[in-house]
Each structure stands twice: as structure tokens, then as C-alpha cells.
Amino acid sequence: MYIVIFSANIKKIDDKYIETAEKMRRLAVEQYGCLEFKAVTENEQEIAISYWPSLEHINNWKNDKEHLKAQKQGKESWYSKYKVQIARIEREYKSHT
């Protein structure tokens, strides 16, 4: 399993941003095999974490036409800077409570 960590400094959040973010999350899960997608925004910082079964799934998602359009809009309007990290999860522990 792989994890994608997206972190960004936000310039502005508007209705279009909120709508696009929700649409991109749905698209990732429903069409590209994303196993889980969580995002948190605090002040000017955002972090989104998504879990994927393979690098192929991630690459297919990255190159989706709607996602590419959202990325362009993010660079132009919503983010002053961002970073994407992709890592392989070697081990996972969970509590049972």
C-alpha cells in the first residue's frame, strides 16, 4: 500500500475551491481506487493524506483530465506553495477499541 501526502500553503479558499476539493476526493475514491482520503485545513495550512493500492493507481489519478485541471487552478489561484510526497507503507498497527 502507498500513501500520498499533499501539503500546501493556501492563498485563498473560495466556494470553487471547496467544490473542486470535494469533487476530486470523490473521483479519487470512486474511479481511481483510492482506499481512503482525509484532509485537514488549519489557518493557511492544508494537509491531505490518501492511501492507494499501487503506484499505477496513483499515476492514473495524477493524470486524470479533471485532476490536471484542478491542479492548474490550484497553482494559479489557491496555493502559494505545495509539496507532494509518495511513500510505501511497510507496516501498519491498529488498536482494537
Side-chain angles (χ1 to χ4, degrees), residues 2-4 7 9-10 17-18 22-23 30 39 44 46 49 58 61 63 70 74 76 80-81 84 89 96:
Y2 291 84
I3 185 170
V4 176
S7 55
N9 289 9
I10 299 172
Y17 173 84
I18 293 167
E22 289 175 10
K23 182 178 178 182
E30 293 173 5
E44 296 87 32
E46 177 180 79
I49 299 173
I58 295 168
W61 159 242
N63 294 309
E76 292 173 355
S80 59
K81 67 179 184 176
V84 177
I89 297 174
H96 296 288

Side-chain angles (χ1 to χ4, degrees), residues 11-94:
K11 286 194 283 192
K12 74 172 186 177
I13 294 179
D14 55 19
D15 290 341
K16 180 73 172 164
Y17 173 84
I18 293 167
E19 176 186 316
T20 301
E22 289 175 10
K23 182 178 178 182
M24 292 301 103
R25 286 183 196 110
R26 274 194 318 275
L27 186 66
V29 171
E30 293 173 5
Q31 292 188 24
Y32 288 96
C34 179
L35 303 169
E36 186 177 350
F37 199 121
K38 295 181 180 184
V40 177
T41 303
E42 183 176 307
N43 300 319
E44 296 87 32
Q45 302 292 312
E46 177 180 79
I47 187 164
I49 299 173
S50 55
Y51 297 88
W52 300 82
S54 72
L55 290 173
E56 182 180 0
H57 285 86
I58 295 168
N59 286 329
N60 290 340
W61 159 242
K62 182 183 184 305
N63 294 309
D64 174 83
K65 181 173 57 172
E66 288 296 313
H67 189 214
L68 289 170
K69 190 164 57 169
Q71 290 174 50
K72 184 176 187 285
Q73 182 72 36
K75 291 174 189 175
E76 292 173 355
S77 302
W78 299 318
Y79 302 121
S80 59
K81 67 179 184 176
Y82 68 91
K83 175 171 64 173
V84 177
Q85 298 170 299
I86 300 172
R88 184 173 175 188
I89 297 174
E90 297 291 334
R91 190 173 300 182
E92 179 178 293
Y93 298 90
K94 294 181 181 181

